């Protein structure tokens, strides 16, 4: 087997991963640069949260509509019986990998009787796509739909009972995907960001037209720099390694998760070098939640912390959605509390929501 066979953008890699869920032998993937080496597709536990022995997990490989090979961890109840299971596709936060919050959510939902697939979106983590560390409102929405594809092909899963959970920026992707993909029976999001809105308008829509024009001008010129270089596209830089002199509470909040033992992962963009400089361009030009009202008559559950700087995204998405819909505000919680604090994340509410709507 050659490195070409195992290249992360080769759709045939899906079949290698699907065969026996990788098995005991790790598939070595080629390096994509000093900071972009993909992990071995191994069953070893490399998550930021403890393993729960009530749950089994295995690798699942699949390919999205654009031919990008994706990798997920499929979590299943260990004592699941013979009846087909309802299933949930899980992704996020924006710039995180499946070994962080998405995997925690997936494992917890598996303890509650669901099959749950936490996946790396295109260009990130163990998934394929070149260049690395780029995002797209279209392709990342498609990634959610591709996760529904593969869940519907798994033995022991009821394809007529599939939902989605999106966290942070992938909350917006999940709502966007559910609006178009009528196979999705129910969608829930936590600490939701509308990435198109925040990139196009800034936080609280404070970006001026002049600021927007200047940002797009700088990224337009950066494209020439990237195109002329033999190196990987320039990256915007991630969170600071030290909080010395940093007073911004949002930066400090993200640092407490991504840059500490609480949530650090070596493949996470947010834990390391950040996105490509030009990643915001497509988001700034393509509004993402235009059709959120078309999720109805399927239900949407939108969860946010009362103290989250991002709360207004959830409130506005809820206002734009059609019934049935529910907005749940968690008293005292900030944005990142809903990433990993099991005493704060309303898993019982998520369980009852999906039990009620994936019946």
């Amino acid at each position: 087997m050659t490195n070409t066979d195992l290249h992360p953008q080769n759709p045939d890699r899906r079949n290698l991963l699907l065969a026996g869920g990788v098995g005991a032998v790790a598939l070595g993937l080629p390096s994509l640069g000093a900071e972009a080496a993909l992990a071995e597709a191994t069953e070893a536990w490399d998550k930021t949260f403890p393993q729960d022995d009530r749950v089994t997990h295995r690798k699942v490989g699949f390919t999205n509509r654009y031919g990008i090979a994706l990798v997920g961890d499929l979590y299943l109840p260990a004592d699941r019986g013979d009846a087909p299971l309802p299933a949930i596709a899980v992704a996020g936060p924006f710039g995180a990998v499946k070994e962080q919050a998405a995997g925690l959510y997936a494992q917890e939902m598996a303890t509650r009787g669901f099959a749950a697939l936490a996946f790396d979106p295109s260009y990130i983590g163990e998934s394929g796509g070149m260049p690395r560390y780029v995002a797209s409102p279209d392709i990342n929405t498609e990634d959610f739909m591709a996760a529904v594809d593969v869940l519907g092909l798994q033995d022991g899963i009821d394809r007529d009972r599939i939902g989605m959970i999106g966290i942070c920026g992938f909350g917006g992707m999940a709502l966007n995907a559910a609006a178009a993909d009528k196979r999705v029976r129910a969608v829930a999001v936590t600490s939701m960001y509308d990435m198109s809105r925040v990139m196009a308008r800034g936080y609280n829509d404070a970006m001026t037209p002049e600021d927007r024009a200047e940002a797009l001008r700088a990224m337009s010129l950066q494209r020439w720099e990237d195109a002329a270089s033999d190196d990987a596209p320039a990256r915007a830089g991630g969170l600071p390694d030290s909080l010395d002199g940093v007073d911004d509470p949002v930066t400090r909040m993200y640092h407490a998760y991504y840059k500490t033992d609480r949530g650090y992962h070596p493949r996470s963009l947010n834990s390391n070098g950040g996105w490509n400089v030009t990643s915001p361009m497509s988001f700034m030009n393509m509004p993402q939640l235009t059709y959120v009202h078309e999720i109805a008559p399927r239900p949407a559950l939108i969860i946010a912390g009362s103290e989250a700087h991002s709360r207004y995204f959830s409130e506005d998405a809820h206002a734009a959605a059609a019934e049935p819909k529910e907005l749940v505000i968690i008293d005292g919680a900030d944005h990142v509390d809903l990433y990993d604090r099991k005493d704060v994340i309303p898993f019982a509410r998520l369980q009852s929501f999906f039990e009620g709507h994936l019946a």
Side-chain angles (χ1 to χ4, degrees):
M1 187 175 292
T2 67
N3 278 348
T4 300
D5 296 324
L6 293 174
H7 193 281
Q9 205 164 345
N10 181 355
D12 290 339
R13 180 169 171 265
R14 171 188 59 183
N15 298 325
L16 295 171
L17 289 167
L18 282 172
V22 177
V25 180
L27 295 178
L29 301 179
S31 173
L32 298 177
E35 292 185 341
L38 297 183
E40 290 184 336
T42 175
E43 294 297 325
W45 189 262
D46 60 349
K47 324 304 183 193
T48 60
F49 50 90
Q51 188 169 10
D52 192 317
D53 61 11
R54 296 172 293 173
V55 173
T56 65
H57 86 289
R58 61 181 173 88
K59 294 291 181 184
V60 173
F62 54 106
T63 304
N64 72 11
R65 189 166 57 89
Y66 295 104
I68 299 171
L70 306 179
V71 178
D73 287 317
L74 180 62
Y75 294 83
L76 298 166
D79 185 15
R80 55 185 174 270
D82 297 325
L85 295 172
I88 304 170
V90 189
F94 191 74
V97 288
K98 64 186 181 301
E99 291 77 16
Q100 295 172 309
L104 182 148
Y105 272 70
Q107 179 176 255
E108 181 63 25
M109 295 309 292
T111 70
R112 296 167 184 265
F114 300 88
L117 177 67
F119 65 91
D120 283 330
S122 297
Y123 311 109
I124 294 170
E126 291 183 323
S127 288
M130 295 289 285
R132 306 303 291 168
Y133 315 126
V134 66
S136 161
D138 181 23
I139 294 174
N140 294 147
T141 295
E142 159 61 22
D143 291 338
F144 255 119
M145 298 184 190
V148 175
D149 293 345
V150 74
L151 283 171
L153 299 178
Q154 298 296 304
D155 291 338
I157 287 177
D158 185 346
R159 66 164 57 180
D160 292 323
R161 294 191 291 159
I162 296 177
M164 291 177 177
I165 294 175
I167 308 161
C168 182
F170 274 82
M173 309 291 187
L175 294 176
N176 202 35
D181 193 335
K182 304 307 182 184
R183 300 170 300 175
V184 179
R185 294 286 298 274
V187 58
V189 298
T190 61
S191 289
M192 194 274 289
Y193 258 60
D194 178 345
M195 296 308 305
S196 297
R197 179 177 176 182
V198 74
M199 291 187 188
R201 304 182 195 172
Y203 283 113
N204 298 301
D205 302 334
M207 183 182 288
T208 67
E210 293 76 18
D211 292 337
R212 174 183 167 85
E214 176 55 28
L216 287 169
R217 186 194 71 82
M219 284 184 281
S220 299
L221 295 176
Q222 182 63 48
R223 291 180 62 107
W224 270 326
E225 297 293 328
D226 291 344
S229 174
D230 292 330
D231 296 327
R235 294 172 69 181
L239 291 162
D241 290 330
S242 169
L243 289 176
D244 291 345
V246 177
D247 296 325
D248 175 47
V250 175
T251 300
R252 297 183 72 89
M253 177 198 67
Y254 282 129
H255 186 282
Y257 180 76
Y258 287 110
K259 301 294 281 188
T260 70
D261 290 343
R262 174 183 171 189
Y264 178 84
H265 197 279
R267 291 193 295 275
S268 169
L269 280 70
N270 294 338
S271 291
N272 297 286
W275 294 94
N276 289 352
V277 170
T278 57
S279 274
M281 290 192 79
S282 58
F283 288 91
M284 293 176 73
N285 204 38
M286 298 176 189
Q288 192 174 25
L289 296 183
T290 303
Y291 298 104
V292 67
H293 62 282
E294 293 187 0
I295 296 172
R298 297 158 299 145
L301 173 63
I302 300 172
I303 302 169
S306 66
E307 308 310 304
H309 69 286
S310 57
R311 175 176 171 173
Y312 71 99
F313 292 123
S314 294
E315 293 173 332
D316 290 354
H318 177 260
E323 296 286 354
K325 60 183 179 179
E326 184 175 359
L327 177 65
V328 175
I329 302 298
I330 306 301
D331 188 45
D334 69 19
H335 181 88
V336 170
D337 285 339
L338 294 176
Y339 286 9
D340 67 332
R341 286 191 56 188
K342 292 177 66 174
D343 60 327
V344 174
I345 301 167
F347 279 118
R349 181 69 192 88
L350 287 165
Q351 178 182 350
S352 64
F353 172 76
F354 285 112
E355 284 178 345
H357 297 293
L358 300 185

mmCIF file of all heavy atoms in Angstrom, residues 117-155:
data_model
loop_
_atom_site.group_PDB
_atom_site.id
_atom_site.type_symbol
_atom_site.label_atom_id
_atom_site.label_comp_id
_atom_site.label_asym_id
_atom_site.label_seq_id
_atom_site.Cartn_x
_atom_site.Cartn_y
_atom_site.Cartn_z
ATOM 1 N N LEU A 117 -22.165 10.086 16.162
ATOM 2 C CA LEU A 117 -20.961 10.211 15.346
ATOM 3 C C LEU A 117 -20.376 11.602 15.515
ATOM 4 O O LEU A 117 -20.953 12.591 15.066
ATOM 5 C CB LEU A 117 -21.292 9.967 13.874
ATOM 6 C CG LEU A 117 -20.138 10.141 12.886
ATOM 7 C CD1 LEU A 117 -19.075 9.068 13.095
ATOM 8 C CD2 LEU A 117 -20.649 10.107 11.439
ATOM 9 N N ALA A 118 -19.224 11.695 16.192
ATOM 10 C CA ALA A 118 -18.460 12.938 16.277
ATOM 11 C C ALA A 118 -17.431 12.918 15.156
ATOM 12 O O ALA A 118 -16.650 11.978 15.048
ATOM 13 C CB ALA A 118 -17.775 13.057 17.631
ATOM 14 N N PHE A 119 -17.437 13.937 14.317
ATOM 15 C CA PHE A 119 -16.570 13.895 13.138
ATOM 16 C C PHE A 119 -15.730 15.162 13.011
ATOM 17 O O PHE A 119 -16.104 16.233 13.501
ATOM 18 C CB PHE A 119 -17.394 13.677 11.863
ATOM 19 C CG PHE A 119 -18.339 14.791 11.525
ATOM 20 C CD1 PHE A 119 -17.947 15.841 10.699
ATOM 21 C CD2 PHE A 119 -19.636 14.803 12.019
ATOM 22 C CE1 PHE A 119 -18.812 16.874 10.377
ATOM 23 C CE2 PHE A 119 -20.519 15.829 11.711
ATOM 24 C CZ PHE A 119 -20.103 16.865 10.882
ATOM 25 N N ASP A 120 -14.594 14.992 12.352
ATOM 26 C CA ASP A 120 -13.772 16.136 11.970
ATOM 27 C C ASP A 120 -14.278 16.671 10.634
ATOM 28 O O ASP A 120 -14.405 15.904 9.668
ATOM 29 C CB ASP A 120 -12.308 15.727 11.809
ATOM 30 C CG ASP A 120 -11.590 15.544 13.125
ATOM 31 O OD1 ASP A 120 -11.946 16.229 14.101
ATOM 32 O OD2 ASP A 120 -10.661 14.710 13.184
ATOM 33 N N PRO A 121 -14.556 17.961 10.532
ATOM 34 C CA PRO A 121 -14.962 18.517 9.240
ATOM 35 C C PRO A 121 -13.800 18.558 8.254
ATOM 36 O O PRO A 121 -12.646 18.283 8.603
ATOM 37 C CB PRO A 121 -15.433 19.926 9.607
ATOM 38 C CG PRO A 121 -14.721 20.249 10.867
ATOM 39 C CD PRO A 121 -14.554 18.954 11.606
ATOM 40 N N SER A 122 -14.115 18.884 7.035
ATOM 41 C CA SER A 122 -13.100 18.969 5.984
ATOM 42 C C SER A 122 -11.951 19.886 6.394
ATOM 43 O O SER A 122 -12.159 20.915 7.043
ATOM 44 C CB SER A 122 -13.727 19.507 4.702
ATOM 45 O OG SER A 122 -14.715 18.648 4.207
ATOM 46 N N TYR A 123 -10.747 19.476 6.012
ATOM 47 C CA TYR A 123 -9.517 20.255 6.184
ATOM 48 C C TYR A 123 -8.996 20.295 7.605
ATOM 49 O O TYR A 123 -8.052 21.035 7.903
ATOM 50 C CB TYR A 123 -9.705 21.705 5.687
ATOM 51 C CG TYR A 123 -10.326 21.816 4.322
ATOM 52 C CD1 TYR A 123 -11.621 22.290 4.166
ATOM 53 C CD2 TYR A 123 -9.626 21.413 3.181
ATOM 54 C CE1 TYR A 123 -12.211 22.384 2.903
ATOM 55 C CE2 TYR A 123 -10.201 21.498 1.920
ATOM 56 C CZ TYR A 123 -11.494 21.981 1.794
ATOM 57 O OH TYR A 123 -12.077 22.058 0.552
ATOM 58 N N ILE A 124 -9.585 19.508 8.497
ATOM 59 C CA ILE A 124 -9.265 19.617 9.921
ATOM 60 C C ILE A 124 -9.043 18.228 10.512
ATOM 61 O O ILE A 124 -9.694 17.255 10.125
ATOM 62 C CB ILE A 124 -10.405 20.329 10.679
ATOM 63 C CG1 ILE A 124 -10.536 21.787 10.222
ATOM 64 C CG2 ILE A 124 -10.186 20.305 12.195
ATOM 65 C CD1 ILE A 124 -11.765 22.481 10.747
ATOM 66 N N GLY A 125 -8.145 18.122 11.485
ATOM 67 C CA GLY A 125 -7.975 16.902 12.254
ATOM 68 C C GLY A 125 -7.581 15.730 11.391
ATOM 69 O O GLY A 125 -6.702 15.818 10.536
ATOM 70 N N GLU A 126 -8.254 14.591 11.592
ATOM 71 C CA GLU A 126 -7.948 13.388 10.823
ATOM 72 C C GLU A 126 -8.620 13.381 9.459
ATOM 73 O O GLU A 126 -8.329 12.522 8.637
ATOM 74 C CB GLU A 126 -8.385 12.152 11.613
ATOM 75 C CG GLU A 126 -7.563 11.891 12.854
ATOM 76 C CD GLU A 126 -7.980 10.626 13.580
ATOM 77 O OE1 GLU A 126 -9.192 10.317 13.631
ATOM 78 O OE2 GLU A 126 -7.089 9.942 14.113
ATOM 79 N N SER A 127 -9.525 14.317 9.213
ATOM 80 C CA SER A 127 -10.196 14.361 7.918
ATOM 81 C C SER A 127 -9.284 14.961 6.853
ATOM 82 O O SER A 127 -8.288 15.623 7.147
ATOM 83 C CB SER A 127 -11.495 15.163 8.020
ATOM 84 O OG SER A 127 -12.478 14.438 8.730
ATOM 85 N N GLY A 128 -9.656 14.712 5.595
ATOM 86 C CA GLY A 128 -8.837 15.155 4.472
ATOM 87 C C GLY A 128 -9.193 16.551 4.019
ATOM 88 O O GLY A 128 -9.919 17.290 4.674
ATOM 89 N N GLY A 129 -8.684 16.884 2.835
ATOM 90 C CA GLY A 129 -8.891 18.200 2.248
ATOM 91 C C GLY A 129 -7.627 19.029 2.265
ATOM 92 O O GLY A 129 -6.944 19.113 3.283
ATOM 93 N N MET A 130 -7.302 19.605 1.122
ATOM 94 C CA MET A 130 -6.137 20.476 0.984
ATOM 95 C C MET A 130 -6.558 21.802 0.375
ATOM 96 O O MET A 130 -7.423 21.827 -0.501
ATOM 97 C CB MET A 130 -5.103 19.794 0.091
ATOM 98 C CG MET A 130 -4.515 18.515 0.670
ATOM 99 S SD MET A 130 -3.415 18.825 2.050
ATOM 100 C CE MET A 130 -1.964 19.451 1.174
ATOM 101 N N PRO A 131 -5.956 22.918 0.835
ATOM 102 C CA PRO A 131 -4.956 23.001 1.901
ATOM 103 C C PRO A 131 -5.595 22.800 3.266
ATOM 104 O O PRO A 131 -6.819 22.822 3.387
ATOM 105 C CB PRO A 131 -4.424 24.426 1.755
ATOM 106 C CG PRO A 131 -5.607 25.187 1.239
ATOM 107 C CD PRO A 131 -6.321 24.238 0.309
ATOM 108 N N ARG A 132 -4.769 22.611 4.253
ATOM 109 C CA ARG A 132 -5.280 22.420 5.602
ATOM 110 C C ARG A 132 -5.761 23.750 6.200
ATOM 111 O O ARG A 132 -5.384 24.832 5.754
ATOM 112 C CB ARG A 132 -4.178 21.839 6.511
ATOM 113 C CG ARG A 132 -3.545 20.566 5.976
ATOM 114 C CD ARG A 132 -4.561 19.475 5.732
ATOM 115 N NE ARG A 132 -5.128 18.969 6.983
ATOM 116 C CZ ARG A 132 -6.198 18.187 7.041
ATOM 117 N NH1 ARG A 132 -6.853 17.855 5.949
ATOM 118 N NH2 ARG A 132 -6.632 17.759 8.216
ATOM 119 N N TYR A 133 -6.617 23.631 7.211
ATOM 120 C CA TYR A 133 -7.005 24.764 8.068
ATOM 121 C C TYR A 133 -7.768 25.858 7.335
ATOM 122 O O TYR A 133 -7.572 27.038 7.568
ATOM 123 C CB TYR A 133 -5.772 25.348 8.770
ATOM 124 C CG TYR A 133 -4.883 24.290 9.355
ATOM 125 C CD1 TYR A 133 -3.534 24.231 9.033
ATOM 126 C CD2 TYR A 133 -5.404 23.309 10.197
ATOM 127 C CE1 TYR A 133 -2.716 23.229 9.572
ATOM 128 C CE2 TYR A 133 -4.601 22.312 10.724
ATOM 129 C CZ TYR A 133 -3.264 22.272 10.407
ATOM 130 O OH TYR A 133 -2.470 21.288 10.917
ATOM 131 N N VAL A 134 -8.659 25.427 6.442
ATOM 132 C CA VAL A 134 -9.532 26.365 5.758
ATOM 133 C C VAL A 134 -10.973 25.967 6.065
ATOM 134 O O VAL A 134 -11.268 24.802 6.301
ATOM 135 C CB VAL A 134 -9.269 26.388 4.234
ATOM 136 C CG1 VAL A 134 -9.638 25.067 3.580
ATOM 137 C CG2 VAL A 134 -10.003 27.534 3.561
ATOM 138 N N ALA A 135 -11.872 26.940 6.115
ATOM 139 C CA ALA A 135 -13.279 26.683 6.407
ATOM 140 C C ALA A 135 -14.143 27.218 5.279
ATOM 141 O O ALA A 135 -13.741 28.117 4.532
ATOM 142 C CB ALA A 135 -13.681 27.334 7.731
ATOM 143 N N SER A 136 -15.346 26.666 5.161
ATOM 144 C CA SER A 136 -16.268 27.077 4.113
ATOM 145 C C SER A 136 -17.694 26.905 4.608
ATOM 146 O O SER A 136 -18.045 25.827 5.100
ATOM 147 C CB SER A 136 -16.062 26.228 2.853
ATOM 148 O OG SER A 136 -17.183 26.282 1.997
ATOM 149 N N PRO A 137 -18.554 27.920 4.479
ATOM 150 C CA PRO A 137 -19.942 27.744 4.911
ATOM 151 C C PRO A 137 -20.662 26.664 4.122
ATOM 152 O O PRO A 137 -21.551 25.982 4.654
ATOM 153 C CB PRO A 137 -20.570 29.119 4.680
ATOM 154 C CG PRO A 137 -19.690 29.790 3.674
ATOM 155 C CD PRO A 137 -18.318 29.260 3.927
ATOM 156 N N ASP A 138 -20.286 26.471 2.875
ATOM 157 C CA ASP A 138 -20.914 25.437 2.047
ATOM 158 C C ASP A 138 -20.352 24.060 2.356
ATOM 159 O O ASP A 138 -21.090 23.117 2.677
ATOM 160 C CB ASP A 138 -20.706 25.779 0.573
ATOM 161 C CG ASP A 138 -21.363 24.760 -0.356
ATOM 162 O OD1 ASP A 138 -22.302 24.071 0.084
ATOM 163 O OD2 ASP A 138 -20.941 24.659 -1.514
ATOM 164 N N ILE A 139 -19.034 23.920 2.287
ATOM 165 C CA ILE A 139 -18.432 22.596 2.457
ATOM 166 C C ILE A 139 -18.660 22.079 3.874
ATOM 167 O O ILE A 139 -18.947 20.892 4.070
ATOM 168 C CB ILE A 139 -16.930 22.635 2.103
ATOM 169 C CG1 ILE A 139 -16.765 22.924 0.609
ATOM 170 C CG2 ILE A 139 -16.253 21.313 2.464
ATOM 171 C CD1 ILE A 139 -15.328 23.131 0.173
ATOM 172 N N ASN A 140 -18.567 22.948 4.870
ATOM 173 C CA ASN A 140 -18.755 22.472 6.241
ATOM 174 C C ASN A 140 -20.219 22.153 6.541
ATOM 175 O O ASN A 140 -20.507 21.284 7.374
ATOM 176 C CB ASN A 140 -18.205 23.482 7.233
ATOM 177 C CG ASN A 140 -16.701 23.634 7.155
ATOM 178 O OD1 ASN A 140 -16.167 24.719 7.374
ATOM 179 N ND2 ASN A 140 -15.987 22.569 6.820
ATOM 180 N N THR A 141 -21.153 22.823 5.875
ATOM 181 C CA THR A 141 -22.550 22.407 5.951
ATOM 182 C C THR A 141 -22.719 21.045 5.296
ATOM 183 O O THR A 141 -23.405 20.159 5.823
ATOM 184 C CB THR A 141 -23.455 23.451 5.264
ATOM 185 O OG1 THR A 141 -23.387 24.681 5.999
ATOM 186 C CG2 THR A 141 -24.894 22.984 5.197
ATOM 187 N N GLU A 142 -22.093 20.860 4.145
ATOM 188 C CA GLU A 142 -22.121 19.562 3.467
ATOM 189 C C GLU A 142 -21.544 18.454 4.334
ATOM 190 O O GLU A 142 -22.021 17.312 4.305
ATOM 191 C CB GLU A 142 -21.352 19.673 2.147
ATOM 192 C CG GLU A 142 -20.843 18.364 1.550
ATOM 193 C CD GLU A 142 -21.938 17.375 1.202
ATOM 194 O OE1 GLU A 142 -23.103 17.778 1.010
ATOM 195 O OE2 GLU A 142 -21.623 16.173 1.123
ATOM 196 N N ASP A 143 -20.527 18.767 5.141
ATOM 197 C CA ASP A 143 -19.940 17.745 6.018
ATOM 198 C C ASP A 143 -20.996 17.143 6.940
ATOM 199 O O ASP A 143 -21.004 15.933 7.190
ATOM 200 C CB ASP A 143 -18.808 18.350 6.851
ATOM 201 C CG ASP A 143 -17.587 18.720 6.024
ATOM 202 O OD1 ASP A 143 -17.411 18.158 4.924
ATOM 203 O OD2 ASP A 143 -16.801 19.564 6.479
ATOM 204 N N PHE A 144 -21.883 17.978 7.468
ATOM 205 C CA PHE A 144 -22.964 17.468 8.306
ATOM 206 C C PHE A 144 -23.877 16.533 7.507
ATOM 207 O O PHE A 144 -24.300 15.477 7.982
ATOM 208 C CB PHE A 144 -23.790 18.616 8.887
ATOM 209 C CG PHE A 144 -23.526 18.888 10.341
ATOM 210 C CD1 PHE A 144 -23.042 20.109 10.761
ATOM 211 C CD2 PHE A 144 -23.781 17.914 11.299
ATOM 212 C CE1 PHE A 144 -22.810 20.371 12.101
ATOM 213 C CE2 PHE A 144 -23.552 18.154 12.643
ATOM 214 C CZ PHE A 144 -23.071 19.385 13.052
ATOM 215 N N MET A 145 -24.194 16.916 6.277
ATOM 216 C CA MET A 145 -25.049 16.076 5.449
ATOM 217 C C MET A 145 -24.358 14.744 5.129
ATOM 218 O O MET A 145 -25.005 13.686 5.096
ATOM 219 C CB MET A 145 -25.424 16.805 4.169
ATOM 220 C CG MET A 145 -26.213 18.084 4.374
ATOM 221 S SD MET A 145 -26.693 18.795 2.776
ATOM 222 C CE MET A 145 -27.312 20.396 3.300
ATOM 223 N N ALA A 146 -23.053 14.790 4.895
ATOM 224 C CA ALA A 146 -22.304 13.564 4.634
ATOM 225 C C ALA A 146 -22.299 12.657 5.858
ATOM 226 O O ALA A 146 -22.304 11.416 5.733
ATOM 227 C CB ALA A 146 -20.875 13.898 4.214
ATOM 228 N N ALA A 147 -22.281 13.253 7.057
ATOM 229 C CA ALA A 147 -22.376 12.446 8.271
ATOM 230 C C ALA A 147 -23.729 11.740 8.341
ATOM 231 O O ALA A 147 -23.819 10.587 8.787
ATOM 232 C CB ALA A 147 -22.163 13.325 9.506
ATOM 233 N N VAL A 148 -24.786 12.408 7.893
ATOM 234 C CA VAL A 148 -26.097 11.758 7.824
ATOM 235 C C VAL A 148 -26.058 10.618 6.805
ATOM 236 O O VAL A 148 -26.622 9.544 7.029
ATOM 237 C CB VAL A 148 -27.193 12.783 7.465
ATOM 238 C CG1 VAL A 148 -28.547 12.101 7.256
ATOM 239 C CG2 VAL A 148 -27.305 13.837 8.563
ATOM 240 N N ASP A 149 -25.372 10.842 5.674
ATOM 241 C CA ASP A 149 -25.214 9.766 4.685
ATOM 242 C C ASP A 149 -24.671 8.499 5.335
ATOM 243 O O ASP A 149 -25.238 7.414 5.199
ATOM 244 C CB ASP A 149 -24.225 10.181 3.585
ATOM 245 C CG ASP A 149 -24.707 11.310 2.693
ATOM 246 O OD1 ASP A 149 -25.913 11.616 2.702
ATOM 247 O OD2 ASP A 149 -23.855 11.888 1.983
ATOM 248 N N VAL A 150 -23.540 8.649 6.034
ATOM 249 C CA VAL A 150 -22.856 7.456 6.544
ATOM 250 C C VAL A 150 -23.616 6.842 7.708
ATOM 251 O O VAL A 150 -23.638 5.616 7.852
ATOM 252 C CB VAL A 150 -21.389 7.760 6.908
ATOM 253 C CG1 VAL A 150 -21.257 8.557 8.185
ATOM 254 C CG2 VAL A 150 -20.575 6.474 6.992
ATOM 255 N N LEU A 151 -24.265 7.652 8.530
ATOM 256 C CA LEU A 151 -25.061 7.078 9.611
ATOM 257 C C LEU A 151 -26.181 6.211 9.043
ATOM 258 O O LEU A 151 -26.497 5.146 9.582
ATOM 259 C CB LEU A 151 -25.647 8.186 10.489
ATOM 260 C CG LEU A 151 -24.680 8.830 11.480
ATOM 261 C CD1 LEU A 151 -25.313 10.061 12.130
ATOM 262 C CD2 LEU A 151 -24.234 7.835 12.547
ATOM 263 N N GLY A 152 -26.779 6.651 7.941
ATOM 264 C CA GLY A 152 -27.860 5.895 7.337
ATOM 265 C C GLY A 152 -27.432 4.614 6.667
ATOM 266 O O GLY A 152 -28.282 3.797 6.290
ATOM 267 N N LEU A 153 -26.113 4.417 6.535
ATOM 268 C CA LEU A 153 -25.586 3.193 5.929
ATOM 269 C C LEU A 153 -25.042 2.209 6.957
ATOM 270 O O LEU A 153 -24.606 1.118 6.577
ATOM 271 C CB LEU A 153 -24.471 3.543 4.927
ATOM 272 C CG LEU A 153 -24.883 4.423 3.737
ATOM 273 C CD1 LEU A 153 -23.662 4.720 2.874
ATOM 274 C CD2 LEU A 153 -25.969 3.758 2.908
ATOM 275 N N GLN A 154 -25.044 2.580 8.235
ATOM 276 C CA GLN A 154 -24.478 1.721 9.263
ATOM 277 C C GLN A 154 -25.478 0.654 9.699
ATOM 278 O O GLN A 154 -26.660 0.938 9.908
ATOM 279 C CB GLN A 154 -24.076 2.550 10.489
ATOM 280 C CG GLN A 154 -23.015 3.594 10.229
ATOM 281 C CD GLN A 154 -21.691 2.995 9.818
ATOM 282 O OE1 GLN A 154 -21.133 2.166 10.523
ATOM 283 N NE2 GLN A 154 -21.194 3.414 8.674
ATOM 284 N N ASP A 155 -24.989 -0.559 9.863
ATOM 285 C CA ASP A 155 -25.822 -1.607 10.446
ATOM 286 C C ASP A 155 -26.208 -1.209 11.866
ATOM 287 O O ASP A 155 -25.407 -0.657 12.618
ATOM 288 C CB ASP A 155 -25.065 -2.936 10.477
ATOM 289 C CG ASP A 155 -24.838 -3.519 9.102
ATOM 290 O OD1 ASP A 155 -25.594 -3.154 8.174
ATOM 291 O OD2 ASP A 155 -23.904 -4.334 8.949
#
